[in-house]
Amino acid sequence: MAMPLRQTIKVARYLFEQKLRRRDKFALLVELEPLFACNLKCEGCGKIQHPAGVLKQRMPVAQAVGAVLESGAPMVSIAGGEPLMHPQIDEIVRQLVAKKKFVFLCTNALLMRKKMDKFKPSPYFAWAVHIDGLRERHDESVAKEGVFDEAVEAIKEAKRRGFRVTTNSTFFNTDTPQTVIEVLNYLNDDLNVDEMMLSPAYAYEKAPDQEHFLGVQQTRELFKKAFAGGNRRHWRLNQSPLFLDFLEGKVDFPCTAWAIPSYSLFGWQKPCYLMSDGYVQTYQQLLEETDWDAYGRGKDPRCANCMAHCGYEPTAVMATMGSLKESLRAARETLGNGKPQVTP
């Protein structure tokens, strides 16, 4: 887990505070979607399926920042859509960073170099560039040639300017252990990104392509083989060792989607950003009005093949923080994966 030291300490302190207050449900990270519009039409994404009127909407800065503050979460992932299409995205980031929230700005990178001057490097800010494979595979997944090359150049420029750069890679049933290894080796060794996040694709209902998502057993086989030979220790993965164990099938966890809630133009989404069973206007309503026991693998058939980070990474993080053995293990993997990310 290559989380910077400052972030690790703040998250650990936050979890300890929740325990002292005897809160059994709380937000660890908010998935903030200030718009649904995008400049790509990826087959695995259902966000741009909204009506034209909705795609034209942009969330006001005060509303976006207010939702994060309301949740109390120490971290926020700003997604969409393509957030760099929001005319005030830099102000949203600036205000959240001023509140010392750890902000990950998710982007396909097509506008990244053009908009980069609007942002400043900070230990509380990171670019999160979506990379689903090497050139041919990535461009195929986003249905547009040249996107991979632009993303690579944007990452290099951001690194040159002193920004923290992370990547997010989604893998489908068309992937093999070798394609996973190739892209993560490239991001880790050649581009030298600070951290990498990976996730198995989940077949949520709005995605136009329903044929290439991974099942649970396929996910476990894919990552077990990709992680073999010491790759896990080599790659700077921004995920807990227990979550990586979960992907391999070594452990199993219940879903804790309440810990990574989604807030969009419609409000707080029930129960997570991959499923839509209605919206509420406050995070407290989300906690109180959602039947959390009804969701998860073995409960809701829609969850049968889900191993997404939004449901299971927070469970793994809390299990790590609650165990001295797992905390020490996470620390060892951080220090031993080639380039520990310690923020001064």
Side-chain angles (χ1 to χ4, degrees):
M1 182 171 61
M3 186 185 293
L5 182 60
R6 183 195 302 262
Q7 186 177 341
T8 301
I9 292 172
K10 185 164 184 175
V11 170
R13 183 185 298 127
Y14 174 78
L15 290 174
F16 183 66
E17 289 173 355
Q18 307 314 305
K19 185 175 182 179
L20 286 179
R21 295 175 182 179
R22 297 184 178 180
R23 292 177 177 169
D24 61 345
K25 292 182 175 63
F26 48 84
L28 186 61
L29 177 147
V30 172
E31 292 273 2
L32 178 66
E33 297 177 316
L35 80 172
F36 293 127
C38 190
N39 47 10
L40 288 176
K41 297 180 179 180
C42 304
E43 288 298 311
C45 177
K47 299 299 180 180
I48 61 170
Q49 306 304 313
H50 290 290
V54 174
L55 294 178
K56 292 179 181 179
Q57 295 180 32
R58 306 292 183 262
M59 186 181 294
V61 173
Q63 181 182 346
V65 175
V68 176
L69 297 181
E70 174 204 346
S71 75
M75 301 179 287
V76 54
S77 174
I78 306 179
E82 170 52 55
L84 288 179
M85 293 176 64
H86 193 296
Q88 295 175 293
I89 189 61
D90 55 316
E91 183 60 18
I92 293 175
V93 169
R94 189 193 67 77
Q95 290 193 24
L96 289 171
V97 167
K99 296 292 185 181
K100 294 187 176 181
K101 301 294 184 182
F102 290 95
V103 180
F104 297 85
L105 181 56
C106 302
T107 177
N108 57 38
L110 287 180
L111 295 172
M112 191 169 156
R113 286 197 288 176
K114 180 179 179 180
K115 302 281 187 176
M116 201 173 295
D117 287 338
K118 294 179 176 288
F119 301 88
K120 295 181 180 179
S122 165
Y124 292 95
F125 174 70
W127 297 99
V129 182
H130 205 89
I131 300 287
D132 282 345
L134 296 181
R135 181 181 292 109
E136 182 178 351
R137 194 168 196 82
H138 180 72
D139 287 355
E140 181 182 5
S141 73
V142 300
K144 186 174 182 178
E145 292 185 5
V147 177
F148 177 83
D149 289 339
E150 179 57 35
V152 167
E153 292 306 312
I155 289 171
K156 290 179 178 178
E157 178 62 16
K159 292 286 291 181
R160 187 187 68 79
R161 295 194 189 193
F163 285 101
R164 179 180 166 205
V165 181
T166 69
T167 56
N168 182 10
S169 300
T170 304
F171 297 103
F172 297 81
N173 64 12
T174 50
D175 278 293
T176 66
Q178 188 58 35
T179 63
V180 175
I181 291 168
E182 288 172 355
V183 68
L184 294 182
N185 275 344
Y186 177 76
L187 295 172
N188 191 86
D189 302 336
D190 297 318
L191 278 188
N192 198 31
V193 301
D194 294 279
E195 302 159 3
M196 300 174 293
M197 188 177 80
L198 48 85
S199 183
Y202 164 66
Y204 66 109
E205 58 187 1
K206 288 187 177 180
D209 180 359
Q210 293 287 319
E211 297 180 5
H212 297 116
F213 293 97
L214 288 161
V216 170
Q217 192 56 41
Q218 287 176 302
T219 296
R220 290 170 175 167
E221 292 175 359
L222 176 67
F223 288 109
K224 183 178 181 179
K225 292 177 181 178
F227 290 160
N231 285 330
R232 270 181 57 170
R233 293 189 297 274
H234 175 67
W235 293 326
R236 293 183 296 278
L237 298 173
N238 185 25
Q239 286 160 314
S240 65
L242 279 178
F243 179 73
L244 300 178
D245 287 349
F246 169 74
L247 291 182
E248 287 191 67
K250 293 179 178 179
V251 296
D252 202 6
F253 290 121
C255 174
T256 51
W258 43 262
I260 302 186
S262 174
Y263 185 79
S264 71
L265 294 164
F266 300 143
W268 295 97
Q269 185 170 334
K270 299 169 61 176
C272 66
Y273 84 97
L274 293 170
M275 295 169 62
S276 182
D277 285 356
Y279 297 85
V280 293
Q281 294 309 302
T282 69
Y283 179 63
Q284 193 60 35
Q285 283 180 290
L286 180 71
L287 292 183
E288 295 175 353
E289 298 178 16
T290 305
D291 183 4
W292 298 104
D293 292 335
Y295 296 100
R297 283 184 286 112
K299 298 177 180 179
D300 189 314
R302 294 173 298 176
C303 304
N305 288 313
C306 181
M307 297 182 72
H309 69 281
C310 64
Y312 297 98
E313 176 70 85
T315 324
V317 169
M318 287 182 278
T320 299
M321 296 298 185
S323 164
L324 177 60
K325 177 182 177 181
E326 290 300 334
S327 295
L328 292 174
R329 177 191 176 199
R332 286 195 301 270
E333 292 203 12
T334 297
L335 295 174
N337 69 354
K339 182 183 176 184
Q341 302 298 305
V342 179
T343 304

